[in-house]
């Protein structure tokens, strides 16, 4: 019997009113852990604790915040192998991917430790004689964080670190499917020296914990990453709440990767395989539309099929595995449903798409590659969120660009080409928040803005110093010295 891991509310570890089980998708007989589920009343307590802690934390010195964030970073980085193993075990990323994600979380805390020292206001002349104008940034208040299962430590890190850095207090709800990494992060945060109530962890469902955060008048802002469907509900709730809440939404993608005739074939295949299938394709930045021009199309498809046949799909913790399992049965059902939809729509399943059996029972799916797809098909328009990509043929660069932009999403996009002219044109004209040249659409730096356009994102950018737009509010002060 393992102990049920508790929630952290107002500086204390507390029992929940239910339990959520964390199951290893590589081996569904393996119980990773059991976690106390918070109910509405406990979530309200966490909000009250965060509200009470806010005035003092908002006034804390940059040195205090630097020290806390730096301490969190140091512990995460020192334990990256162990935490990476936990992450891979609960989410199904491969071990190197899990360790990489943990390292990224540690680096994010280090970055925001430094940011705490860099937050300085501005002073300027007034348009009226004799007056001074000062611009300062103040924290927003209690921030509710609702995070998804696909990056169980990096996404919480890139929300919690800036929130604390700029003087906000936090109520953090990890995805119920993968609470382990969020819980481990919370333990580390509790050892950082921050006062009780500044950071609170409430594991529980979106419909209870998430909904309470959305409805509560003392939550000033919501930072959300997840599906478009839930994102819309969050936007609505934040606008209808009284007072209205600030909110930021990072949602889906249907990210294009354009491959031009002049691309280096080997590079294009590596970029496409990484972008579409690594992390089991469960990245909002994954390349799910591979838009390939006529002259390279057949060679690209043949090379992709060959490369995919060499990928090892197995237990995320096994050495040498390229792709772990799908996160759970419901996501696997969604992937299989879309594979059937693609076939029914007339696309050709050129590789994969079948369930795989491995030593232990898990959600193993052979990466699927469709060809002969067109951009009107559902497999080219709707986010699948699994290891499924579709090749769409284009006559030339101009048509490839038009297809690339013909989507309701706009998170990431990429192009493989050796032409400076096309690369430059694509960077300027691709309607996405992040553009990659000869690089996978997924996999980004932690010190620069992350976010998209159109249906992919709403509100201020996350990550890097741009995160301050969301986690602070600007005050304009006028002084007449007399
Ligand atoms: N763009 C991205 O980064 C991601 C996109 N997705 C997409 O979403 C699909 C479904 O995945 P899923 O995890 O269910 O995504 P959701 O959008 O449902 O979940 C994301 C987070 O929102 C919470 N949530 C759900 N409903 C509510 C609500 N009514 N009020 C407040 N919070 C809520 C969830 O809680 P809980 O799940 O704990 O109940 C979770 O913490 C995927 O197949 C994929 O297409 C998923 C993950 C990330
Ligand atoms: O591509 C990345 O590095 C980040 C992807 C991401 O944030 C997501 O899938 O939610």
């Amino acid at each position: 019997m393992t102990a049920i891991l508790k929630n952290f509310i107002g500086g204390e570890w507390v029992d929940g009113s239910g339990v959520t089980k964390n199951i290893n998708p590589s081996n569904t007989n393996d119980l990773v852990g059991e976690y106390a589920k918070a109910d509405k009343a406990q979530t309200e307590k966490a909000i009250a604790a965060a509200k009470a802690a806010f005035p003092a934390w908002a006034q804390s010195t940059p040195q205090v915040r630097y020290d806390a964030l730096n301490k969190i970073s140091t512990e995460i980085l020192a334990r990256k192998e162990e935490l990476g193993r936990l992450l891979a075990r609960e989410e199904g990323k491969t071990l190197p991917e899990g360790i990489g994600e943990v390292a990224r979380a540690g680096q994010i805390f280090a970055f925001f430790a430094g940011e705490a020292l860099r937050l300085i206001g501005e002073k300027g002349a007034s348009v009226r004689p004799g007056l001074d104008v000062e611009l300062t940034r103040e924290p927003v208040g209690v921030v509710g964080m609702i995070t998804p299962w696909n990056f169980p430590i990096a996404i919480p890190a890139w929300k919690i670190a800036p929130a604390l850095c700029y003087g906000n207090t936090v109520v953090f709800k990890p995805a119920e499917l993968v609470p382990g990494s969020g819980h481990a992060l919370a333990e580390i945060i509790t050892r950082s020296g921050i006062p009780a109530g500044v950071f609170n962890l409430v594991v529980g469902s979106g419909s209870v914990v998430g909904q309470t955060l959305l409805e509560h008048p003392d939550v000033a802002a919501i930072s959300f990453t997840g599906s478009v469907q839930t994102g819309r509900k969050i936007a609505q709730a934040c606008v209808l709440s009284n007072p209205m809440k600030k909110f930021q939404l990072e949602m889906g993608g249907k990210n294009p990767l354009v491959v031009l005739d002049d691309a280096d074939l080997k590079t294009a295949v590596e970029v496409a395989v990484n972008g579409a299938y690594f992390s089991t394709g469960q990245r909002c930045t994954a390349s799910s539309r591979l838009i390939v021009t006529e002259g390279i199309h057949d060679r690209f498809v043949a090379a992709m099929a060959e490369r995919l046949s060499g990928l090892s799909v197995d237990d995320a913790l096994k050495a040498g595995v390229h792709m772990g399992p799908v996160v759970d049965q419901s996501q696997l059902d969604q992937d299989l449903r879309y594979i059937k939809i693609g076939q029914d729509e007339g696309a050709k399943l050129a590789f994969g798409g079948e369930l795989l059996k491995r030593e232990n029972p898990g959600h193993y799916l052979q990466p699927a590659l469709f060809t002969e797809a067109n951009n009107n098909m559902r497999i080219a328009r709707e986010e699948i969120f699994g290891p499924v990509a579709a090749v769409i043929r284009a006559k030339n660069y101009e048509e490839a660009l038009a297809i690339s932009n013909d989507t309701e999403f706009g998170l990431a996009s990429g192009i493989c080409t050796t032409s400076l002219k096309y690369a430059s044109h694509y960077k300027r004209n691709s309607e996405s928040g992040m553009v990659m040249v000869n690089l996978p659409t997924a996999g980004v730096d932690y010190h620069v803005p992350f976010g998209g356009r159109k249906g992919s994102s709403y509100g201020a950018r996350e990550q890097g110093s741009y995160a301050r737009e969301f986690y602070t509010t600007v005050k304009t002060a006028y002084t007449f010295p007399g």
Side-chain angles (χ1 to χ4, degrees), residues 146-147 149 173 176 206 226-227 230 251 284 331 334 383 385:
I146 302 177
T147 61
W149 49 261
K173 188 206 102 54
E176 211 186 338
S227 64
T230 308
M251 301 170 287
C284 55
Q331 183 62 51
Q334 172 160 310
E383 186 175 53
F385 221 65

Side-chain angles (χ1 to χ4, degrees), residues 90-138:
E90 72 170 344
E91 199 268 349
K93 279 191 174 120
T94 64
L95 188 55
E97 288 171 338
I99 294 170
E101 185 182 333
V102 172
R104 178 169 166 181
Q107 284 150 349
I108 288 168
F109 275 96
F111 177 86
F112 283 104
E115 278 299 280
L117 303 175
R118 284 190 286 269
L119 188 67
I120 294 180
E122 295 169 65
K123 186 169 179 187
S126 167
V127 291
R128 290 173 279 167
L131 270 69
D132 284 337
V133 185
E134 286 164 359
L135 308 182
T136 49
R137 286 182 180 269
E138 295 181 0

Side-chain angles (χ1 to χ4, degrees), residues 16-29:
S17 58
V19 173
T20 186
K21 286 184 192 305
N22 189 358
I23 305 290
N24 176 353
S26 297
N27 176 4
T28 51
N29 292 329

